[in-house]
Amino acid sequence: MKTNQHSTPPAVGAELMSEVEGTVQGHRDGHGFLVRDDRQPDIYLSQQEMRAVLHRDRIRARIVRYDRKGRPEGRILEILERRKSPIIGRLLHESGVWLVAPEDKRYGQDIIVPKNAIANATAGQVVAIELTEPPSMYSQPVGRVTEVLGEIDDPGMEIEIAVRKYEVPHRFSPETLAQAAALPEKIRPADRRHRIDLTDVPLVTIDGEDARDFDDAVYCEPASIGRTKKPNGWRLVVAIADVSHYVKPGEPLDEDAYERATSVYFPRRVIPMLPEKLSNGLCSLNPDVERLAMVCDMLVTAAGEVHAYQFFPAVICSHARFTYTEVAAILANTRGPEAARRAELVPHLLHLHEVYRVLLKQRVQRGAMDFETTETQIVCDENGRIEKIVPRTRNDAHRLIEEAMLAANVCSADFIARAKHPSLYRVHEGPTPEKRTLLQNYLKALGLGLSVSEEPHPKEFQAIAAATKDRPDALQIHTMLLRSMQQAIYTGTNAGHFGLAYEAYTHFTSPIRRYPDLLVHRVIKALLTGKRYHLLSGKFEEAPKVRQAGKAKHGPNQEMEHWEAAGAHCSANERRADEASRDVEAWLKCRYMREHLGEEFAGTVSAVTGFGLFVTLDALYVEGLVHITELGGEYYRFDEARQELRGERSGIRYAIGARVRVQVSRVDLDGRRIDFRMVREGEDDASRLRARRERGASGDAGDELSRVKAADRAAKAATKGKARGGKSAHPVKAAKSTARKAASRGSKRR
């Protein structure tokens, strides 16, 4: 008996025809989803339903059916709220009609602009548009231009688009700028009150070459722990910029910082959480100037355990600004030129390295996960275009600072948890039941004899990683381990950090660029003075001396609700910052790869899906898609348990870590997508061209490059013609026409 496509599974049938509220999430193919407020599975919205709404509108919908996999489909009942933020896109002029094609394809519809509402924009320019009429089932949305960003090829335009596309706050309020301008240039005598003077302690900063703000400074010396007089451990001092001294609750600086919640990092540009006077000046621990700091002073045993710690406000003076490269060179050769230049500080660096090694040993015993991944750095030219992409190599200097910061963060979490004071924790939970089952099936399919338990511990993951590190498929296994875990978040409820194997963990070490760290500083300061910090009012109040015995809490804890809301806000803005950064990097990489159309590269499969393979190129560190139709003339089946594609006739398998050779076949700048085609051994140029014709392609990648360049020239010429007042074709149409002519000429030559 055939199964009806829209049959209702018994497990979900009870929800049929129920009404739910949530936010619309559009898809570039025209359909969409309702992301439910109750965090239940998303509801599919057809193209027909999406005609009356736009991406990020809030709606109420009814579940009307389920597909054969039990996924719900909805019908829109009511539009609760229209998204009012500007939409970014290219202004186009087609058949006498002005319209804007949204840069974010999830909006799904072009926006009509009346002739008198285009401001001073010209065709082809990037603009911000405000809706004046929402879409309906029978009409497109209408809007007006509110800002002209410039030409698409202007340097930095991709960043200007991203900050608006993802609604990243990028302009400080006049009140914030005025408050920052009124701050002193250096610390004042009044700022020193109730602080310990550590200016004689040779603290140093260790950061990347391109760092401009310095949150943290470190120092280490041998120490005696217990009754012995002989050093048997280390004193580790971590000094963190005291941003909370200058950024007070409720003031404009604080309101702007909370709205941003984090600094956003792009190639060649940073959108800071705090104005530059604070982030690069008054709060930055620059060398040879006195700064205010919050200090975590720790005693670390030879076993790598923190024996004792204390927090206190201090005045410090960084004795040097080191780079990771410089410190790594000194540690590798204490008699080299780098060490000779910093001779007086070399012993302290060696002590830092010693405490790092015992902390690392303790990390291994704890079972914390430590997977080596390849991170890349984009190097841009003066116009902001990619010059090259290089791998970031982590050395002992990076790890040294990382372990020192982890120790200070753990101490701050322990200090707050012991005092039972509300705060924000950095929580990283283990795999969900679904991801755990997927991982268990994957490990079973590989026949490794290794698996994870129903209540997995980080040690199990680390043991699997260690046992498989020398296997040819180690990359695939480690990738699956990483993907099985949940995303780290900020929350007021301490649930531990699975990846680092900590029972309590928070962020204390970067208050210049992360708002949660600023909140943690305020909580610690309150505890040091015997007070409590109230998030809603921003006040420091006297802590109650005695609790009434047997007094129960009635109703929801309002204070905890505020902390949870702050955690959700900071987590969401962290994700927003990551998405904006990735969007800019993807745009730059697409632009970069347009210069490599038709070229062949060796690469490694970095992900496998039911629709194809993602391949990362060895030489360029750029990822692209080999669609399943490009794998050859046979049917490939996706094996979810093994996470591989397998040819049914040939038995060829593609899994993460597989080595392949590909050709760059297509670059979609608007869609941020790079397509590859597989190149097989012994395949000559003629067979490649023949294969392309068989798949219905209009020429090879060389012709594609010619068409792209011709289209660019045509678009620019059309835009210039329009600006001169002459009658010209719409740039997109002109580009398409030129591309068709180029394709026609290419086919005639063949």
Side-chain angles (χ1 to χ4, degrees):
M1 186 177 76
K2 288 187 178 180
T3 304
N4 189 298
Q5 184 176 355
H6 299 303
S7 61
T8 306
V12 295
E15 207 179 15
L16 189 64
M17 303 305 290
S18 62
E19 296 181 8
V20 294
E21 295 182 1
T23 303
V24 173
Q25 186 175 75
H27 190 279
R28 60 182 295 117
D29 290 342
H31 60 269
F33 298 91
L34 174 62
V35 180
R36 297 167 58 161
D37 292 344
D38 58 12
R39 299 186 179 182
Q40 294 302 305
D42 297 347
I43 298 171
Y44 175 82
L45 300 173
S46 66
Q47 288 188 3
Q48 177 97 0
E49 293 293 320
M50 287 293 293
R51 290 177 63 180
V53 295
L54 290 174
H55 175 60
R56 304 186 75 179
D57 284 348
R58 280 190 50 75
I59 64 169
R60 178 184 294 117
R62 176 180 291 140
I63 298 175
V64 294
R65 61 176 66 87
Y66 291 85
D67 67 12
R68 60 183 56 169
K69 291 186 177 180
R71 295 173 298 195
E73 182 176 336
R75 179 172 297 149
I76 297 172
L77 300 177
E78 182 183 359
I79 298 166
L80 303 175
E81 182 184 351
R82 294 284 189 181
R83 191 73 179 184
K84 294 183 173 61
S85 55
I87 298 171
I88 310 303
R90 298 279 292 278
L91 181 66
L92 308 176
H93 194 208
E94 294 184 347
S95 303
V97 177
W98 290 93
L99 52 88
V100 167
E103 206 281 337
D104 189 342
K105 301 306 176 188
R106 292 176 295 183
Y107 280 99
Q109 300 186 55
D110 290 343
I111 299 157
I112 295 172
V113 183
K115 187 177 181 180
N116 61 356
I118 65 170
N120 59 344
T122 58
Q125 287 188 313
V126 180
V127 298
I129 194 164
E130 177 183 82
L131 290 187
T132 54
E133 294 181 27
S136 70
M137 293 295 289
Y138 308 104
S139 64
Q140 287 178 258
V142 179
R144 66 182 184 89
V145 173
T146 58
E147 182 184 10
V148 180
L149 278 66
E151 303 295 337
I152 190 66
D153 288 328
D154 289 349
M157 180 55 67
E158 67 282 356
I159 297 175
E160 296 297 330
I161 291 172
V163 295
R164 291 164 177 82
K165 177 179 175 180
Y166 292 96
E167 298 179 45
V168 175
H170 57 287
R171 294 190 183 101
F172 289 107
S173 69
E175 295 80 8
T176 294
L177 294 174
Q179 187 184 355
L183 291 171
E185 298 297 328
K186 57 184 180 180
I187 64 174
R188 301 159 296 191
D191 299 327
R192 299 175 182 273
R193 284 189 212 140
H194 311 299
R195 290 181 180 271
I196 295 176
D197 190 338
L198 293 186
T199 53
D200 60 332
V201 176
L203 289 146
V204 298
T205 62
I206 306 174
D207 292 274
E209 280 80 357
D210 54 353
R212 294 179 62 197
D213 54 77
F214 309 110
D215 288 280
D216 55 87
V218 291
Y219 167 76
C220 186
E221 65 182 13
S224 300
I225 301 175
R227 298 180 182 274
T228 179
K229 292 184 179 180
K230 186 179 180 181
N232 60 346
W234 290 268
R235 177 195 179 199
L236 174 61
V237 180
V238 175
I240 305 299
D242 190 358
V243 175
S244 63
H245 181 81
Y246 301 103
V247 181
K248 303 294 186 183
E251 294 183 348
L253 272 172
D254 184 56
E255 290 174 356
D256 265 9
Y258 177 74
E259 185 186 9
R260 295 175 181 225
T262 181
S263 296
V264 187
Y265 294 86
F266 299 109
R268 297 186 68 214
R269 184 177 169 189
V270 177
I271 308 293
M273 186 180 80
L274 299 169
E276 190 171 350
K277 184 166 183 179
L278 286 163
S279 59
N280 295 345
L282 196 54
C283 291
S284 184
L285 305 183
N286 300 324
D288 304 320
V289 290
E290 293 186 347
R291 290 286 187 253
L292 304 183
M294 283 294 293
V295 172
C296 181
D297 196 341
M298 298 165 274
L299 286 177
V300 182
T301 68
E305 296 178 347
V306 177
H307 176 75
Y309 63 82
Q310 62 177 333
F311 289 91
F312 53 85
V315 179
I316 71 160
C317 179
S318 170
H319 282 47
R321 181 267 201 263
F322 283 101
T323 66
Y324 293 122
T325 305
E326 190 177 7
V327 171
I330 291 171
L331 296 176
N333 182 7
T334 55
R335 296 183 179 181
E338 293 86 356
R341 283 195 297 270
R342 309 274 197 166
E344 73 284 359
L345 294 173
V346 169
H348 305 306
L349 293 179
L350 293 176
H351 293 149
L352 280 167
H353 193 241
E354 288 167 359
V355 78
Y356 149 68
R357 286 190 295 187
V358 299
L359 287 170
L360 185 63
K361 185 165 64 175
Q362 210 284 323
R363 178 193 186 113
V364 174
Q365 291 175 353
R366 201 171 66 243
M369 286 171 280
D370 187 18
F371 299 144
E372 286 293 336
T373 56
T374 302
E375 295 184 6
T376 58
Q377 176 184 0
I378 292 176
V379 179
C380 294
D381 60 22
E382 58 185 15
N383 294 318
R385 301 290 181 249
I386 292 181
E387 193 173 272
K388 59 182 176 180
I389 302 173
V390 296
R392 286 184 186 269
T393 53
R394 289 178 75 241
N395 53 44
D396 272 5
H398 290 86
R399 300 184 186 97
L400 179 157
I401 290 296
E402 181 182 313
E403 289 298 329
M405 297 305 111
L406 289 176
N409 285 337
V410 170
C411 290
S412 63
D414 182 73
F415 184 60
I416 294 168
R418 286 176 183 273
K420 297 182 179 179
H421 193 299
S423 184
L424 283 187
Y425 292 91
R426 182 66 167 177
V427 168
H428 181 226
E429 296 188 89
T432 61
E434 295 78 13
K435 288 188 174 182
R436 187 191 65 236
T437 301
L438 182 64
L439 179 61
Q440 287 170 335
N441 292 339
Y442 168 73
L443 294 171
K444 184 179 179 181
L446 290 184
L448 295 173
L450 300 167
S451 189
V452 293
S453 60
E454 293 300 307
E455 295 291 334
H457 187 276
K459 281 187 176 180
E460 298 175 45
F461 282 68
Q462 190 60 27
I464 294 170
T468 58
K469 63 183 176 66
D470 296 324
R471 287 174 56 104
D473 57 354
L475 174 63
Q476 179 182 6
I477 296 168
H478 295 181
T479 301
M480 285 298 295
L481 291 173
L482 285 169
R483 288 178 181 169
S484 71
M485 292 182 285
Q486 299 184 59
Q487 191 174 32
I489 60 169
Y490 294 107
T491 174
T493 305
N494 176 31
H497 198 292
F498 184 83
L500 295 172
Y502 287 132
E503 292 183 3
Y505 186 71
T506 192
H507 276 168
F508 164 78
T509 54
S510 295
I512 291 177
R513 61 185 179 89
R514 292 190 305 227
Y515 196 82
D517 303 53
L518 175 58
L519 291 177
V520 167
H521 278 230
R522 289 175 182 167
V523 171
I524 291 175
K525 278 189 174 181
L527 293 174
L528 290 176
T529 55
K531 298 180 180 180
R532 290 180 77 81
Y533 172 64
H534 291 275
L535 182 62
L536 184 61
S537 65
K539 294 180 180 178
F540 291 80
E541 299 177 355
E542 294 295 331
K545 301 293 182 186
V546 181
R547 289 182 179 273
Q548 288 184 340
K551 186 175 181 180
K553 294 180 181 178
H554 296 285
N557 187 326
Q558 192 176 25
E559 182 73 6
M560 278 304 298
E561 286 181 3
H562 293 311
W563 282 101
E564 292 292 351
H569 170 79
C570 292
S571 299
N573 284 13
E574 178 187 41
R575 290 192 296 272
R576 177 180 69 182
D578 289 341
E579 288 172 357
S581 297
R582 282 196 296 268
D583 188 78
V584 167
E585 289 190 7
W587 192 94
L588 288 170
K589 287 177 178 178
C590 285
R591 186 66 186 247
Y592 179 56
M593 291 307 293
R594 282 170 60 163
E595 303 301 319
H596 295 279
L597 277 165
E599 296 181 26
E600 295 180 10
F601 299 94
T604 303
V605 175
S606 51
V608 182
T609 70
F611 55 83
L613 313 170
F614 286 94
V615 175
T616 300
L617 305 183
D618 295 346
L620 303 181
Y621 300 98
V622 170
E623 187 180 67
L625 173 70
V626 179
H627 195 267
I628 196 166
T629 56
E630 295 281 356
L631 292 179
E634 65 174 310
Y635 180 75
Y636 278 83
R637 186 180 298 277
F638 178 56
D639 187 331
E640 188 176 28
R642 292 179 176 271
Q643 289 291 295
E644 67 179 19
L645 282 172
R646 183 175 182 175
E648 288 201 339
R649 178 174 52 79
S650 64
I652 294 175
R653 298 178 179 181
Y654 293 106
I656 297 172
R659 302 286 299 148
V660 295
R661 188 163 186 83
V662 296
Q663 183 187 53
V664 183
S665 59
R666 182 173 175 269
V667 176
D668 178 6
L669 198 60
D670 291 335
R672 312 289 195 269
R673 175 172 160 173
I674 301 166
D675 287 338
F676 299 146
R677 62 172 293 271
M678 201 69 76
V679 177
R680 288 173 178 76
E681 291 295 328
E683 186 179 14
D684 58 17
D685 291 339
S687 60
R688 290 174 197 165
L689 289 173
R690 187 166 55 252
R692 294 291 290 173
R693 291 193 201 100
E694 289 171 358
R695 281 187 285 270
S698 58
D700 63 6
D703 289 336
E704 176 78 8
L705 177 58
S706 300
R707 287 195 294 277
V708 166
K709 290 181 176 178
D712 282 351
R713 287 194 296 271
K716 290 178 182 177
T719 302
K720 289 178 181 177
K722 190 70 181 174
R724 288 194 297 266
K727 187 176 181 181
S728 62
H730 172 254
V732 174
K733 289 185 175 180
K736 289 179 178 177
S737 174
T738 305
R740 282 196 298 270
K741 290 176 182 177
S744 176
R745 286 195 296 270
S747 62
K748 288 177 181 177
R749 283 198 299 271
R750 287 195 296 272

